[in-house]
Amino acid sequence: MLHPDFLSYLKHRWLNSTRGYGRFEAIYRPSTGAVALLTAVHVCDVTNAYGFITKTWRNYTNHYYEDTFQKFTFFVNHDFNMEIKLWDDLDRAGIISLYRGNITEG
C-alpha cells in the first residue's frame, strides 16, 4: 500500500504530463508500471527495469510476458511518450538500469 500523498507526489513531480489532455485531463493517470518503478527508485539502492516502454516499443509485444505478439496500444489516460523520455533520462543519469532489449541503436 502506498500513501495517497506519495502517489500525488509521483504524479505531480515525476509524471506531470504537459501533453495538454484537454477534455481528457481528468482521467490522466501514470501507468501502474511507472508508479512501481518510481517507488523502487525511492526505496531501493539499485533499480533494474525490465519490460518498460522504450523508444523501440513498436518492436515488442504489449506485455513482456506474452507468448504471442500483441500490438501495443497508447491509451488516452497515460502519457507513454513522457514515460519513455523519463526512463531514458533516468537510465542515462545512472539512477536506473533500463533493459532495452536485444536491439542495437545505429
Side-chain angles (χ1 to χ4, degrees):
M1 297 286 293
L2 298 174
H3 194 282
D5 288 345
F6 181 71
L7 294 172
S8 179
Y9 158 76
L10 291 181
K11 180 179 177 181
H12 295 289
R13 297 291 179 174
W14 288 87
L15 299 160
N16 192 9
S17 179
T18 58
R19 188 170 136 185
Y21 276 84
R23 66 187 176 115
F24 298 110
E25 186 173 359
I27 66 168
Y28 166 72
R29 301 285 182 272
S31 69
T32 53
V35 171
L37 185 53
L38 288 174
T39 299
V41 166
H42 281 77
V43 299
C44 299
D45 293 330
V46 176
T47 305
N48 297 310
Y50 177 86
F52 287 83
I53 192 167
T54 63
K55 293 178 189 175
T56 58
W57 61 268
R58 287 178 186 88
N59 298 322
Y60 299 98
T61 190
N62 192 30
H63 297 103
Y64 71 90
Y65 52 81
E66 292 172 332
D67 292 332
T68 58
F69 188 87
Q70 302 291 324
K71 184 179 175 185
F72 188 85
T73 303
F74 276 67
F75 291 100
V76 70
N77 62 322
H78 299 310
D79 189 347
F80 287 116
N81 288 314
M82 178 193 57
E83 289 184 20
I84 290 169
K85 182 179 180 331
L86 179 59
W87 306 150
D88 191 52
D89 291 346
L90 292 174
D91 184 44
R92 292 183 193 282
I95 296 169
I96 67 172
S97 178
L98 179 64
Y99 177 76
R100 297 171 187 272
N102 294 325
I103 297 174
T104 56
E105 293 186 34

